[in-house]
Amino acid sequence: MEETINIMFIANKRYIKPMATFLYSLFAHNKTAMNLYLFYSDLEAVFLDKLHKFCKHWENKNLIPIKMDLSKVKNLYCKLLCVDFLPRNLSKVLCMDLDMVVNRPLNNLYNMNLDEYPLAACEDVYGYIFGEGARNHQRLGIDVKYRYFNGGMLFLNLDYLRNFGGGNSLIEYAFENKDILKWPEQD
């Protein structure tokens, strides 16, 4: 039996069209059961109802809206706080931005072993191509053996992150280092 894939994304009224494209591409290429954790602040009940119906049209796609006051918390911090706001029985979640298009099944990615790591991410290749990568390393004090990554898709090991203080420790870091965090979501 295949494991249910847990996906988390953030949306507001401005992202309704990209969300439709994202979800269609996700569902069209993934037959696996999915729990879709939608963090939102300003989506109306009528839209959420339509979104539930759209997800139900696809087999085993379960939408779980989580309302947050995003006026006080930028999207970055919502991603960090998801560690604390997602159900405690979830051990991992794939966080995806709505400007993505999924063109193949996510099973291999989702079944990756993260036991010893807080997360998996994609390298920010454009930053290195255009020279921003070296500046990011210097600005953030990143050892050259590590790579700066793209925050648009993060595979989070929730158990690992909870053991190290969860979202609050990440938020504390962000506030303590706000002077060097040039690209909030990325940094």
Side-chain angles (χ1 to χ4, degrees), residues 18-40:
M19 185 187 339
T21 302
F22 167 76
L23 289 174
Y24 180 82
S25 72
L26 179 67
F27 296 167
H29 295 285
N30 288 275
K31 304 306 176 205
T32 305
M34 293 184 169
N35 289 322
L36 304 152
Y37 295 91
L38 164 62
F39 283 77
Y40 75 98

Side-chain angles (χ1 to χ4, degrees), residues 8-16 18-19 37-43 66-83 85 95-99 151-154 156 167 170-171 174-175 183-187:
M8 184 227 113
F9 54 98
I10 304 163
N12 61 31
K13 285 191 249 187
R14 295 182 329 210
Y15 285 90
I16 289 174
M19 185 187 339
Y37 295 91
L38 164 62
F39 283 77
Y40 75 98
S41 63
D42 64 353
L43 299 177
I66 300 172
K67 186 169 185 167
M68 295 188 76
D69 183 358
L70 298 181
S71 65
K72 297 176 184 166
V73 181
K74 293 190 183 296
N75 282 354
L76 156 74
Y77 303 124
C78 189
K79 279 186 182 175
L80 299 179
L81 288 172
C82 85
V83 173
F85 283 89
C95 300
M96 300 178 76
D97 282 355
L98 294 177
D99 61 356
M153 185 167 104
L154 302 172
L156 301 180
L170 298 170
I171 295 292
F175 282 113
W183 312 107
E185 183 175 86
Q186 290 294 120
D187 290 350

Side-chain angles (χ1 to χ4, degrees), residues 8 12 18 76 91 100 106 122 127 162 171 174 177-178 183:
M8 184 227 113
N12 61 31
L76 156 74
S91 60
M100 303 181 92
L106 297 174
C122 301
R162 288 177 185 130
I171 295 292
N177 293 282
K178 64 183 175 197
W183 312 107

Side-chain angles (χ1 to χ4, degrees), residues 2-3 5 29-34 92 104-112 155:
E2 289 183 342
E3 182 177 9
I5 294 177
H29 295 285
N30 288 275
K31 304 306 176 205
T32 305
M34 293 184 169
K92 57 188 177 180
R104 54 182 57 126
L106 297 174
N107 301 67
N108 287 342
L109 171 64
Y110 197 78
N111 291 321
M112 182 188 320
F155 186 28

Side-chain angles (χ1 to χ4, degrees), residues 37-61:
Y37 295 91
L38 164 62
F39 283 77
Y40 75 98
S41 63
D42 64 353
L43 299 177
E44 296 173 5
V46 172
F47 174 75
L48 289 172
D49 213 32
K50 287 179 184 177
L51 193 54
H52 272 289
K53 287 176 184 167
F54 174 77
C55 291
K56 293 240 182 265
H57 174 77
W58 298 84
E59 188 176 348
N60 295 316
K61 304 303 186 260

